[in-house]
Every structure is written in C-alpha cells, then in structure tokens.
Amino acid sequence: MTHIITRACCNDAACVPVCPVNCIHPTPDEPDYGTAEMLYIDPDGCVDCGACVDVCPVGAIVADYDLTDDFARYEEINARYFSDPAHAEYDAEPQTPPRRVWDLPSAEPLKVAVVGSGPAACYAAEELMSQRGLAVQVDIFERLPTPGGLVRFGVAPDHQDTKAAGSAFARTLRRRGVRLFLNAEVGRDVSFEALRSRYHAVVVAVGAMDDRPLGIAGEGLPGSHSATEFVAWYNGHPDYADRTFDLGHERAVVIGNGNVALDVARILVSDPEALARTDIADHALEQLRKSTVKEVVVVGRRGPLEAAFTTKELLGLAETPAADLVVRPEELRLSEDQIAAAGERSVALYKVELMAELGTRTPSHERRITLRFLASPDEIRGDGWVESVRLTRNELVADQGRTVARPTGDVEELACGLVFRSVGYRGRGIAGLPFDEARGIIPNEAGRILDPESGAVLAGLYVAGWIKRGPSGVIGTNKRCARETVTQLLADLEAGRLPALTDDRDVAESVPGHLDLEGWKAIDDYERSEGKAQRRPRVKLTDVAHMLEVARG
Ligand code: NAP
C-alpha cells in the first residue's frame, strides 16, 4: 500500500519533513524542485503512515485504496517519477531541518513591512513569525481591500481545491504579531520612505500582474486580448471588472501553452452552469452564458515534450465534461532520440502519451479544445476586429543545451474571432526601487535587493515571489523562495546590517483609510453568505467602493 499525490499538489513541500522515510520528492533542496510539476511519493518507499496527509494544505494526498477513478492515473504518475534513474536513489532518512532558537541581545522587536498579500508575502510573514526566541512584528500592506493575490485572482474558479492553500495563509494573517493594512497602496496611501524609516526591513512581494507582449503586428486589434487580463476579469479583480469580452465567435486561439493557456481554454469551453457553482465573477458568468465559442485552439511554439502546461492540468482539461480534446497525431510524433533524451518512463513522456491517448477518444461534445504544436504566430489579422492568426510552422533545434523553435518558412492562416495571448506574466516596477526591464523583476541576490549600477546590496530591502524570480512555479514554490529571502534578512539582522529605525511612530496613524483583518473578515463573511444562498463557495465583490462599504458595516 502507498499514498499518492494528486492534482491539487501545491509543491509547498509541507509533507517532506514529516515523512519518516523521506520518500516524497523532489524535496526543496533537490535540483529539479524549482521546475517540478508536482511532488511525487515513491510507491516502493512509502510506509503508508499517512503523516503527509495530515499536513497537506490542499488535501492532495490519498491512500491508494481511496483513489477515485478521476485520480487513478496519479498512481502511474507518482511511480513514473521514481523510475527515472536520476530519481530512484535517495537517502531514506527523514529531512527534518534543525530549528534554531534565537538569542539576540536586542530587546526591540524586529519590525518588518511586507508589501503585497499573495502567496510569497504570506509565506514570508509565516517564516518570520515562526522564528523561535525572536520577537517579530510583521505589517502586511495590500493595495486592494482583499488579501490573497493570485490565490484570489489567478487560480481558476473551477480549481477550488487549489484555493484551499489560502486557508494556511488565513492562519498567518490571524497570527498575533501580524497586522493587515488593506486598501493601503504603497506610494499612494503610505510612502515607501515611511516604510523604510519605520521598519528594520521591507519585503516586496507584489507579484507580476502585467502580460508579456508578443511583439507581432495586429496584437492590439480588437478581439485580441491578453490572457492575464481575461483571467483577472473572470476572477473578479476590481481593476478588470469593467472590461468586456465579446465571446460571440466560433473559434478562439490561445497563443502559448502554459497552465494559464489551459485555464483560459477550459473556462471558455466549460458549461456555464458548472461554473455557476464556483466563485467566478458574476459579470464573467453572464458573458460566458452568451458565448458562442465552439473551438479553442491552443498553439505552442515548440513540441509536445516541451509543452509548459503540466500533466495534471492536461488531465484536468481531458476531464472537462463539456468538451472534446483534439490533437494532430503528426504533431505528437517523437523521434527515438527525443524519447531517449526524455527518458522512456519519464513524466514528460507520460504527458505526450496521455495527449496521444486522449486524442483518440471519440468526439462526443459540441465544443472542443485543439492542442497544436510547432507553430508561432507572426501576425494577427483583421479589419477592425480579429479575423485570423498567421502561423509559421517550426522545427526544433538544439541551441546551447536548450531545445528551441526555428521557423521552417511554411505558413498557415487560422481563421478565428478571438485571440488570447498567453505567453507569461511580467512584473511591474515600483517607484523608488530598481527594476530590471529586460527580465521584469527587481534585481536581487537570493532576495536581497541590489543597486543595478554598483551591484551593492540595498540595506534592509528584500524581495520575494514572482517579482524576485519571474513568473514561474506554482503556489507552494513561493514557500522556498520566501524562506530564502527571510534567511538573508535574518542573517543581516544577526550581522547588524539592518538599518536602525529613524521614526518610531506607528504607521497605522499615517494610513487612515485602511482596512484591517476585521474589515477583511466582514467582506469574507458577506461573500460567503451570499455564496451560500446560491450554493457557491462565495460571490465575489468586484467593486472597491462596495467592498469598503461592506467592510465598514
Ligand atoms: P508559462 O508556464 O511560462 O508558459 C508560457 C508559454 O508561452 C510557454 O509555452 C512559452 O513557450 C510560450 N511563449 C513565450 N513566448 C512566446 C512567443 N513569443 N510566442 C509563442 N509562445 C511563446 O506561463 P503561464 O502559463 O503564464 O504560467 C505562469 C506560471 O503560473 C507557471 O509557472 C504556471 O505553471 C503557473 N500556473 C499554474 C497553474 C496551476 O498549477 N494550475 C495555473 C496557472 C498558472 P516556450 O516554452 O517555448 O518558451
């Protein structure tokens, strides 16, 4: 008997230290952790103790005897990881890191301002608050009246199990020593200088909400949208609530094949009545009910082995009850060299096998998602509205150890009425802090913010999450990232490198319009009770003024 990790895995690795035989991999210290689609349990190592089940924040771990049909494939997926010779051998000792007890001479509590309230911000706050023997005060500043960042505005509404990670963050926000400043934008309601003078350290964890442009002609045509905008809209982000998406077209094309592309495709073809049981924004539900989209074509520039979407999201797509999955067998064909390089029993190859298998199912729905590979858009065409995308066929070539797409010169015109550009998120610069325009991140070394001119560390300034490393990984990947940042911060504290406070006034006096935890609780209760009446997890408020009204009773 063994335990098995399933779809909702958030990679936060809370399960790793509690495993008495260290059979859950990759661990955060292993090289492939940063790129791992999920964590896996070795069926030959598992002693079936169930300790991991108790600590998993998203309920993703089940015993094999409890595995339901929808998750049956995860048995093979978990086992596959360990059939790769690179993963087969590991030390079966538990990985419980020693816990330090601080004993510093200063009686003054360490005061840290965290900017942002998404996963990286909450993991950073939790890491700070869980130091033993160290008095810490963490103030979290969030420009919106609701905390959560991508948990609220990024995770798809039909992935409520993934959103369960938010309950661990809610516990952090309730901790004594943590204060929440919502509706408090740094730069608007409180200056960055005020934070620097009143806190020993500032951790910037504002994520990456902008989209990466494609840089091709026609990108700005009406009907061509960024996926980031669409995702924020259907998730009820107040900044995007007034956008309109005319879904009265038969075919939509999604450019890029990461998990966001699959989220967009799945939402577009899902049965609106199934979505009506989620916390999708009401305005999006209304538009989706009127949608005439019949086909969503997801276009990847490289091959199926290089697809950025994960096996579990592919499986989720295949299980979308309202649509068929279509592939072109010739685009899935792999050479023997490709198979050997991927590893015959690798998880990457499993994903391609799965696409091939799913593609042979007899079509039975009115709607479909077509996965296309080896094609790059070079122009979006239309006269006042999107009418087609011109695609150039690619071939794969090796380039400095990477597999890259090279245009063959063959072109194809794909007629469509909608385009969603889903080629990654991008961070936005913050006034008063350096910004690396090329990478869309704040320049840093393991979380310490650097002056780009001199390369010197800017004392007391730190960064965590997507604005630190770029938009990669899943929710739990931010835990290791935030821990790395907090480790640097604490090393600086110990070495006396943190700047002294120059202003001892409480920042709460300078941010009069902010909401605190009670305010958020009022909004949360209101949304949940509205949801209960409609048998939904919550009905999201999308208007800031309305949120403030509810919060203030
Ligand atoms: P992503 O995973 O980085 O995927 C971006 C995609 O865009 C890749 O397929 C990339 O192809 C393609 N691309 C980039 N530039 C392109 C160009 N000029 N032309 C055509 N294609 C181009 O980004 P994402 O989908 O936005 O996701 C961001 C992060 O959030 C990821 O870590 C993702 O796993 C995570 N996420 C997770 C979930 C989940 O777990 N359910 C859901 C949503 C998002 P190449 O590979 O060839 O560069």
Side-chain angles (χ1 to χ4, degrees):
M1 283 187 293
T2 179
H3 279 77
I4 290 162
I5 306 189
T6 64
R7 203 201 70 75
C9 177
C10 71
N11 291 34
D12 82 342
C15 48
V16 168
V18 300
C19 176
V21 289
N22 189 29
C23 75
I24 305 176
H25 294 268
T27 68
D29 301 327
E30 290 172 340
D32 54 337
Y33 173 80
T35 52
E37 292 191 352
M38 56 181 278
L39 307 187
Y40 309 90
I41 293 180
D42 181 2
D44 294 331
C46 177
V47 289
D48 215 26
C49 67
C52 50
V53 177
D54 296 338
V55 295
C56 177
V58 288
I61 308 180
V62 289
D64 56 359
Y65 44 84
D66 279 337
L67 207 58
T68 53
D69 285 352
D70 341 347
F71 288 155
R73 289 174 192 266
Y74 286 91
E75 190 162 10
E76 162 95 4
I77 294 171
N78 277 244
R80 278 255 188 157
Y81 180 80
F82 296 94
S83 54
D84 181 335
H87 305 142
E89 301 288 325
Y90 54 82
D91 183 359
E93 285 300 308
Q95 301 287 299
T96 317
R99 299 230 25 215
R100 172 171 184 179
V101 181
W102 291 85
D103 184 16
L104 292 177
S106 165
E108 188 186 42
L110 171 68
K111 292 179 78 180
V112 182
V114 174
V115 186
S117 69
C122 290
Y123 283 130
E126 182 62 28
E127 186 66 21
L128 283 160
M129 297 311 297
S130 53
Q131 300 301 315
R132 288 159 80 182
L134 189 68
V136 188
Q137 183 198 318
V138 173
D139 287 351
I140 297 178
F141 295 86
E142 164 61 56
R143 76 181 178 90
L144 293 171
T146 53
L150 275 189
V151 175
R152 185 175 168 101
F153 299 121
V155 176
D158 55 346
H159 281 172
Q160 290 298 317
D161 48 359
T162 308
K163 282 180 192 269
S167 28
F169 302 144
R171 273 196 301 280
T172 301
L173 300 182
R174 286 197 304 269
R175 266 180 175 273
R176 193 150 18 112
V178 174
R179 294 191 303 178
L180 197 52
F181 291 82
L182 298 168
N183 194 39
E185 183 172 347
V186 175
R188 181 193 66 186
D189 305 302
V190 55
S191 72
F192 199 67
E193 292 66 40
L195 297 188
R196 291 200 73 176
S197 60
R198 296 175 200 198
Y199 295 88
H200 298 103
V202 181
V203 179
V204 178
V206 293
M209 273 302 277
D210 288 347
D211 59 298
R212 283 189 50 222
L214 270 173
I216 59 170
E219 192 167 6
L221 266 177
S224 161
H225 307 284
S226 78
T228 54
E229 208 179 14
F230 186 61
V231 169
W233 172 75
Y234 68 59
N235 275 322
H237 193 299
D239 292 357
Y240 299 84
D242 60 355
R243 301 289 157 97
T244 49
F245 292 88
D246 176 357
L247 305 179
H249 302 270
E250 283 229 346
R251 183 186 283 143
V253 172
V254 181
I255 307 293
N257 62 3
N259 281 334
V260 171
L262 291 204
D263 279 348
V264 167
R266 200 182 60 253
I267 293 294
L268 283 169
V269 298
S270 287
D271 174 1
E273 297 326 308
L275 293 175
R277 292 191 292 274
T278 73
D279 63 355
I280 192 167
D282 283 347
H283 54 240
L285 193 57
E286 199 183 312
Q287 287 301 311
L288 286 162
R289 281 192 166 122
K290 291 190 238 159
S291 164
T292 58
V293 172
K294 294 273 182 294
E295 183 184 24
V296 183
V297 183
V298 180
V299 183
R301 65 177 166 182
R302 296 191 287 160
L305 255 187
E306 293 76 26
F309 56 72
T310 51
T311 310
K312 52 196 187 120
E313 293 313 315
L314 173 67
L315 271 173
L317 203 65
E319 280 144 19
T320 301
D324 295 316
L325 191 69
V326 177
V327 291
R328 291 189 172 185
E330 68 274 18
E331 290 183 348
L332 298 186
R333 221 164 277 138
L334 301 177
S335 69
E336 285 187 6
D337 286 351
Q338 281 177 301
I339 296 172
E344 274 189 30
R345 303 259 317 143
S346 64
V347 177
L349 201 58
Y350 183 81
K351 187 159 63 180
V352 185
E353 290 165 10
L354 192 61
M355 285 184 235
E357 182 202 319
L358 299 173
T360 59
R361 284 184 182 170
T362 311
S364 55
H365 300 97
E366 210 181 287
R367 290 173 159 186
R368 62 184 180 163
I369 294 175
T370 302
L371 298 180
R372 294 288 311 273
F373 295 97
L374 295 165
S376 289
D378 58 22
E379 188 181 344
I380 299 173
R381 295 179 160 181
D383 184 7
W385 188 269
V386 166
E387 289 167 19
S388 68
V389 180
R390 208 175 84 124
L391 297 173
T392 298
R393 301 287 310 154
N394 293 328
E395 60 187 0
L396 296 177
V397 291
D399 180 20
Q400 298 175 10
R402 277 200 82 225
T403 303
V404 299
R406 184 170 64 189
T408 60
D410 294 344
V411 291
E412 166 188 352
E413 186 120 357
L414 183 60
C416 60
L418 278 165
V419 171
F420 294 93
R421 308 175 312 266
S422 182
V423 296
Y425 285 77
R426 192 175 193 285
R428 196 182 292 174
I430 293 181
L433 283 179
F435 190 64
D436 179 339
E437 283 292 341
R439 298 182 60 203
I441 59 165
I442 294 179
N444 70 92
E445 192 174 63
R448 288 185 176 110
I449 299 184
L450 300 177
D451 176 353
E453 306 278 295
S454 65
V457 167
L458 296 176
L461 295 181
Y462 303 86
V463 67
W466 279 8
I467 195 71
K468 166 186 172 186
R469 63 175 202 280
S472 66
V474 291
I475 290 175
T477 319
N478 293 296
K479 186 172 179 177
R480 184 183 70 167
C481 176
R483 180 169 288 167
E484 179 189 56
T485 298
V486 170
T487 303
Q488 306 302 318
L489 190 161
L490 295 174
D492 290 344
L493 166 72
E494 193 172 21
R497 289 191 290 258
L498 291 185
L501 305 186
T502 53
D503 187 340
D504 60 6
R505 284 175 299 163
D506 186 350
V507 89
E509 296 158 20
S510 345
V511 211
H514 77 270
L515 299 181
D516 58 10
L517 188 62
E518 287 307 305
W520 160 234
K521 204 172 161 309
I523 296 174
D524 193 30
D525 288 349
Y526 178 87
E527 290 188 338
R528 284 179 196 273
S529 78
E530 291 288 299
K532 202 167 173 193
Q534 299 178 29
R535 305 176 82 178
R536 300 169 67 183
R538 67 173 68 235
V539 174
K540 281 183 178 170
L541 294 177
T542 59
D543 175 59
V544 169
H546 192 184
M547 289 178 196
L548 296 179
E549 201 180 301
V550 168
R552 291 173 181 146

